[in-house]
């Protein structure tokens, strides 16, 4: 299974916001720079996360983006399922004609069961389980790498 880029970017944003000082907010520009994701992609990600109450956004001089309590209390599996935005993310037998559909093919059922097991397994973990002990070093190394190129 491969997660889409939207899910990847969203999880990166949530990890960053969760690890970041929870009392302060950050800007799209900060997220873009720290996570090395284009600002235009982040606009869509943050809008979606805000609509789903996973982040709190505030406009203006003292505005920014902070993580919500809901995001911290939601299992990673449920977050991934929500971010994938597809109730049948692995295979869709009707998206393109499939000769096996009318012959009681079991592949979709097997894949759906495996996907649910993945979600259930990931729901045993939360954003807090993705904390880094060397948070400052991650971004210090990023600056050093940029200066040497």
């Amino acid at each position: 299974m491969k997660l889409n880029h939207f899910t990847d970017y969203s999880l990166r944003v949530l990890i960053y916001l969760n690890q970041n000082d929870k009392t302060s907010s950050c800007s799209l520009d900060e997220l873009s720079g720290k996570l090395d994701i284009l600002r235009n992609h982040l606009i869509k990600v943050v809008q979606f996360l805000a609509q789903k109450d996973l982040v709190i956004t505030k406009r203006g001089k003292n505005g920014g983006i902070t993580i919500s309590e809901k995001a911290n209390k939601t299992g990673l599996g449920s977050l991934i399922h929500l971010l994938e935005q597809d109730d049948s993310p692995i295979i869709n037998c009707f998206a393109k004609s499939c000769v096996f559909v009318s012959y009681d093919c079991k592949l979709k059922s097997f894949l759906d069961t495996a996907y649910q097991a993945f979600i259930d397994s990931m729901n045993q973990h939360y954003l807090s389980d993705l904390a880094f002990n060397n948070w400052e070093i991650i971004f210090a190394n990023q600056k050093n790498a940029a200066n040497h190129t």
Side-chain angles (χ1 to χ4, degrees):
M1 184 175 131
K2 182 178 179 181
L3 300 178
N4 65 45
H5 289 295
F6 184 83
T7 300
D8 176 24
Y9 294 163
S10 297
L11 288 172
R12 290 186 208 187
V13 166
L14 292 171
I15 291 167
Y16 182 82
L17 292 173
N18 191 53
Q19 187 85 28
N20 202 20
D21 178 15
K22 300 199 180 41
T23 60
S24 65
S25 58
C26 71
S27 68
L28 281 171
D29 290 333
E30 178 183 344
L31 285 173
S32 179
K34 294 284 189 179
L35 301 176
D36 196 23
I37 301 172
L38 292 175
R39 190 177 192 280
N40 287 344
H41 293 307
L42 287 174
I43 290 170
K44 293 176 186 175
V45 165
V46 170
Q47 284 177 338
F48 181 84
L49 294 174
Q51 287 173 349
K52 300 300 179 183
D53 298 322
L54 297 172
V55 299
I56 300 162
T57 60
K58 185 177 174 187
R59 292 180 180 254
K61 182 179 157 190
N62 297 320
I65 307 157
T66 54
I67 194 158
S68 73
E69 193 61 34
K70 177 182 176 180
N72 283 312
K73 291 182 177 181
T74 303
L76 292 176
S78 295
L79 287 174
I80 289 168
H81 184 72
L82 175 70
L83 295 168
E84 284 292 301
Q85 302 176 55
D86 189 349
D87 287 330
S88 185
I90 296 184
I91 191 170
N92 183 346
C93 300
F94 303 104
K96 294 182 180 177
S97 59
C98 177
V99 297
F100 304 120
V101 170
S102 58
Y103 294 96
D104 196 28
C105 178
K106 305 266 188 284
L107 179 61
K108 179 166 178 28
S109 173
F110 296 160
L111 290 170
D112 287 346
T113 300
Y115 175 75
Q116 190 57 53
F118 168 74
I119 295 299
D120 292 343
S121 174
M122 291 301 293
N123 270 335
Q124 296 175 29
H125 307 284
Y126 298 86
L127 287 169
S128 60
D129 295 324
L130 299 174
F132 293 93
N133 294 328
N134 53 352
W135 189 245
E136 294 80 22
I137 294 171
I138 293 169
F139 298 107
N141 288 340
Q142 182 185 37
K143 280 185 182 179
N144 291 336
N147 291 335
H148 289 93
T149 55

